Amino acid sequence: MKEGIVYKSTGSWYLVKEKEEENFYKCRIKGKFRIKGIKSTNPVAVGDLVLFQLEANKEEETGVIQDIKPRENYIVRKSVNLSKQTHIIASNLDQAFLMVTLNNPPTFTSFIDRFLVTAQAYQIPTTILFNKIDAYTEDEKDEIRHLALLYREIGYTCIGTSAVSGKNIEKVKELLKDKTTLLAGHSGVGKSTLINAIEPSLDLKTAQISNQHLQGQHTTTFAEMFDLPEGGQIIDTPGIKGFGVVDMEKEELDHYFPEFFARKKDCKFHNCLHLEEPKCAVKDAVEEGDIAWSRYKSYLQLIQGEDENYRVDIYKN
């Protein structure tokens, strides 16, 4: 039995890097493979530490995954078509980078907040990369600065990046060193382009934005992990349209909004949900402008189970 790390998942086959010899093997799952406690559309995810056995074929040496070692953490979301099932994007992460663009395609705060809540729940530090910073007008840059300030005040690191101009690419490379990093965001925000700027030898496929809907086209079909020459790994992921949050109790949701959690001790009721309760410190902070209204709106959408609002521009109303 060999031990290895899953570098790519295509649904039926997995690319596994053996830990000792560092050889890559195509592996499959033998029979029905299920993990206790997780109803997932993909029982094996990129980043998983697995045990596998080699099988001799005439054409190539392939393997069969027999077991998955316990995961340190993972990023999970609701499956797009199967609401009762989940999809594990990647596991055993040191950090996540969420790539955001103001337009072409637009990334709304409700999507950002859903991702941050999930990462917070699984204790995965997240940095927000405001990409394509070279393509914005001064007014749009002001909007980016406003958003960055909003999330910095909560405690998130925010970096403006551009693969075209090279802005802050070196800063991003430094953050990636010796860590396993998930790169997430909508299709078209520039994930593969940024990876190519960080490590040109990878030469990942990229595509233009669709003019019809101003949305990205799916160039990355499956999650895939790449080794970086200066140490560490980066995981490129397919563009995520929506981010359905999984298995969070209403009573614990405010734990994953750091600015809510910091104030809840001042609420009149210890089990305050920050809805209709009197003397709620969180609602008071929203009224006073100390908590962003967009964050409170995201919280309401989540607590009320409004999964369809991830592509809605809440500022229009």
Side-chain angles (χ1 to χ4, degrees):
M1 196 86 76
K2 293 179 178 287
E3 188 174 307
I5 300 172
V6 177
Y7 268 62
K8 188 175 184 179
S9 160
T10 63
S12 54
W13 285 94
Y14 303 89
L15 188 64
V16 178
K17 183 181 182 180
E18 184 190 5
K19 287 192 79 176
E20 286 188 9
E21 302 295 331
E22 296 198 343
N23 295 320
F24 283 93
Y25 295 97
K26 276 179 67 178
C27 295
R28 59 188 176 86
I29 298 170
K30 190 171 184 179
K32 286 190 175 181
F33 196 93
R34 294 289 178 264
I35 301 168
K36 291 177 184 176
I38 300 177
K39 291 182 179 178
S40 173
T41 55
N42 59 327
V44 177
V46 170
D48 277 343
L49 198 59
V50 296
L51 298 176
F52 66 101
Q53 284 183 322
L54 294 181
E55 52 181 4
N57 289 334
K58 291 180 181 178
E59 296 179 1
E60 63 178 329
E61 200 170 31
T62 57
V64 179
I65 294 172
Q66 303 285 352
D67 197 13
I68 299 176
K69 292 208 161 186
R71 293 169 173 141
E72 289 184 18
N73 58 35
Y74 49 86
I75 285 275
V76 63
R77 68 185 179 106
K78 282 186 182 176
S79 179
V80 177
N81 298 318
L82 301 163
S83 61
K84 291 184 179 179
Q85 285 201 301
T86 63
H87 180 81
I88 301 168
I89 300 173
S91 68
N92 299 323
L93 303 167
D94 293 313
Q95 61 183 353
F97 286 174
L98 178 62
M99 289 193 74
V100 168
T101 46
L102 193 64
N103 48 44
N104 295 334
T107 308
F108 301 131
T109 51
S110 53
F111 176 85
I112 297 171
D113 294 338
R114 284 167 179 263
F115 186 91
L116 294 178
V117 161
T118 298
Q120 194 88 17
Y122 292 100
Q123 298 178 317
I124 299 167
T126 301
T127 296
I128 303 173
L129 303 182
F130 290 94
N131 199 33
K132 304 184 183 179
I133 207 77
D134 60 291
Y136 297 129
T137 65
E138 279 307 311
D139 285 347
E140 288 170 335
K141 285 178 181 176
D142 283 342
E143 201 169 333
I144 289 289
R145 291 184 192 105
H146 170 75
L147 273 176
L149 180 62
L150 187 162
Y151 287 104
R152 282 191 184 113
E153 285 181 344
I154 297 166
Y156 291 101
T157 299
C158 298
I159 303 172
T161 57
S162 168
V164 175
S165 69
K167 183 177 177 64
N168 285 328
I169 296 300
E170 288 303 316
K171 184 184 285 189
V172 172
K173 285 174 78 169
E174 192 61 34
L175 291 175
L176 291 169
K177 196 171 181 181
D178 297 327
K179 292 186 176 180
T180 300
T181 306
L182 175 79
L183 191 58
H186 292 318
S187 292
V189 294
K191 296 187 296 294
S192 298
T193 304
L194 184 78
I195 292 175
N196 285 339
I198 291 164
E199 184 45 53
S201 66
L202 293 174
D203 194 24
L204 302 188
K205 185 181 175 185
T206 61
Q208 297 298 313
I209 295 291
S210 163
N211 288 326
Q212 187 177 1
H213 300 294
L214 293 180
Q215 292 179 9
Q217 304 192 49
H218 296 274
T219 52
T220 304
T221 312
F222 304 101
E224 184 168 6
M225 184 155 64
F226 301 96
D227 289 325
L228 297 171
E230 295 178 16
Q233 294 81 29
I234 192 165
I235 300 173
D236 192 17
T237 60
I240 303 167
K241 278 190 176 181
F243 205 91
V245 172
V246 177
D247 293 337
M248 288 188 191
E249 299 296 331
K250 289 183 178 182
E251 293 76 19
E252 67 179 24
L253 187 59
D254 62 2
H255 295 197
Y256 311 128
F257 285 77
E259 71 275 42
F260 289 31
F261 187 68
R263 290 173 171 86
K264 71 176 296 180
K265 66 182 184 301
D266 298 322
C267 292
K268 181 178 180 180
F269 301 103
H270 70 89
N271 58 348
C272 185
L273 292 178
H274 324 302
L275 299 173
E276 305 298 330
E277 300 91 339
K279 296 184 179 178
C280 168
V282 169
K283 285 193 297 179
D284 288 347
V286 174
E287 289 290 328
E288 292 162 11
D290 294 329
I291 288 179
W293 181 82
S294 62
R295 291 279 287 173
Y296 184 63
K297 180 70 173 177
S298 293
Y299 172 80
L300 291 180
Q301 287 178 357
L302 285 168
I303 208 165
Q304 292 162 4
E306 296 178 22
D307 274 336
E308 298 306 313
N309 288 319
Y310 58 79
R311 296 282 290 184
V312 176
D313 186 354
I314 59 174
Y315 286 108
K316 282 188 176 178
N317 296 320

